[in-house]
């Protein structure tokens, strides 16, 4: 029997509406007891002193890229899950834009095999919507479900053909599977490089308009409503798209949405300007190049407000690691994406510190919110995910909401050093992470008792 006791922290479990000082006892990978003094009752245990710290369920990420197989120089399942542990994430839903793409049972099974041998935290793969992510014919959804995928997505690209998307949504109802759509119409995006707005004009870069996202969200909501399917809007980024999701949900449509830490905190100005420099110098920061692009203040405000209301169910990182030579090139040629697992919590805490979001609400959108949105509990067969209820999987994080730390990409566990936050100081840190009852990350400063 292995026992872990986390002592005397402020335990916030949004699923149970719990917020108070308590100990968390995890036995053989499952939460056994939560309550004041419970840790004292166990004799033989590994111990973490969480006095003055916050304890919450492990974070659940509906959207990340682990790159294996096919792009192991950008990330592997081992390095990506190590980055996850440092960021407090204990469950990762991994996108299928690997090489080969996860559009067959064999491909999914080979990933699950690698997960078994090298992952530090839980990985739940997604399967492709279409064969080869080519957008033309459906991938075998039944076979993918049988192999264990938790949702379908061609993320990185939208399914732009309306007929194919209609078929995909309609088929998905047979399995109750979420269809996670990358909502950017390629015909409107063309070769756009960043958000269409004044910064793009200043830099002389072609823009990706907000309407590229909004027209696709509107179309897909209509298609989902007609079939009764579950549409999930991946990385929502515009005020207009948020309004569409809000209205669809008010009508009772089965539409869920996620937003990334970067779309909640950064604007298109991050591409051209650095904090502290004002508008003196102009940059072409490829580390701020991401799809969908960083938008405008009004969009950021709409996303934050919708997250607070629960119209957006979850924060998802869209962790998209790339190698140096994918980014240290001309802006037009640079790969889009931000390596986000390790900075997510610190960046999101800026919303709490500025008073836009409460800490319990933020933690809900990182735990119970994503689990509920995709019914991950039932789908994964695990039972008790995203909560510290007795019997739940023993996933927990210990957080210091006040600790400030510098973002040093060269010290990331992720192979992807691509972050526009390099050199910035974040306030809020994951000091320990427990996955399945095992300590998978722990800063030296965290006491043992
Ligand atoms: O910026 C992005 N990068 N957006 C995506 O949707 C895909 C991702 C990637 O795979 O690099």
């Amino acid at each position: 029997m292995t026992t872990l006791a986390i002592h005397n922290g402020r335990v916030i479990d949004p699923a149970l509406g719990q917020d108070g000082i308590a100990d968390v006892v995890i036995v053989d990978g499952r939460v056994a007891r939560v309550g004041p003094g419970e840790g004292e009752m166990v004799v033989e245990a590994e111990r973490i002193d969480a006095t003055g710290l916050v304890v919450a369920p492990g974070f659940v990420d509906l959207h990340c890229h682990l790159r294996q197989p096919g792009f192991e120089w950008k990330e592997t399942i081992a390095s990506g899950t190590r980055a996850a542990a440092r960021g407090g994430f204990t469950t990762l839903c991994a996108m299928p834009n690997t090489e080969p793409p996860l559009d067959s049972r064999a491909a999914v099974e080979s990933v699950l095999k690698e997960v078994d041998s090298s992952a530090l935290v839980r990985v739940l793969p997604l399967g492709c919507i279409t064969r080869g992510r080519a957008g033309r014919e459906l991938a075998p959804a039944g076979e993918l479900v049988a192999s264990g995928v938790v949702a379908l997505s061609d993320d990185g690209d939208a399914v732009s053909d309306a007929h194919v998307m209609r078929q995909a949504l309609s088929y998905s109802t047979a399995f109750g599977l979420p269809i996670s759509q990358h909502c950017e119409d390629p015909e409107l995006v063309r070769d756009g490089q960043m958000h269409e707005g004044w910064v793009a004009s200043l830099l002389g870069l072609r823009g990706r308009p907000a309407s590229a996202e909004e027209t696709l969200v509107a179309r897909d909501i209509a298609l989902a409503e007609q079939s009764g399917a579950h549409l999930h809007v991946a990385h929502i980024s515009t005020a207009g798209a948020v309004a569409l999701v809000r209205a669809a949900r008010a009508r009772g449509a089965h539409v869920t949405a996620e937003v990334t830490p970067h779309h909640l905190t950064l604007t298109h100005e991050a591409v051209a300007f650095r904090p502290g420099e004002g508008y003196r110098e102009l940059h072409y920061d490829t580390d701020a190049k991401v799809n969908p692009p960083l938008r405008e203040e009004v969009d950021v405000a709409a996303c934050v407000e919708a997250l607070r209301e629960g119209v957006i169910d979850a924060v998802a990182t869209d962790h998209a690691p790339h190698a140096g030579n994918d980014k240290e090139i001309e802006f037009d040629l640079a790969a889009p994406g931000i390596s986000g697992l390790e900075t997510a919590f610190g960046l999101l805490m800026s919303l709490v510190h500025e008073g836009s979001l409460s800490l319990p609400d933020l933690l809900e959108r990182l735990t119970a919110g994503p689990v509920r949105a995709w019914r991950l509990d039932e789908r994964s067969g695990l039972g008790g995910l995203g909560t510290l209820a007795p019997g739940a999987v023993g996933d927990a994080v210990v957080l210091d909401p006040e600790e400030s730390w510098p973002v040093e990409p060269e010290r990331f566990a992720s192979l992807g050093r691509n972050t526009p936050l390099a050199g910035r100081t974040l306030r809020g840190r994951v000091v320990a992470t427990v996955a399945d009852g095992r300590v998978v990350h722990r800063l030296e400063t965290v006491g043992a008792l």
Side-chain angles (χ1 to χ4, degrees), residues 236-247:
I236 199 166
S237 73
T238 78
V242 165
L244 288 162
V245 169
R246 181 181 284 112

Side-chain angles (χ1 to χ4, degrees), residues 63 65 67 97 155-157 182 235 289-292 318 320-322 336-338:
H63 188 148
H65 299 270
R67 307 294 192 212
N97 61 337
D155 181 66
D157 294 298
H182 178 125
H235 42 46
K289 179 178 177 178
V290 63
N291 293 337
D318 191 11
H322 287 292
I338 291 174

Side-chain angles (χ1 to χ4, degrees), residues 141 151 198 364:
W198 66 270
E364 204 276 342

Side-chain angles (χ1 to χ4, degrees), residues 6-9 11 18-25 33-41:
I6 307 171
H7 289 253
N8 206 30
V11 177
Q18 183 180 333
D19 185 348
I21 303 293
D23 299 345
V24 176
V25 179
R33 285 177 300 283
V34 178
E38 289 288 354
E40 311 295 333
M41 318 282 241

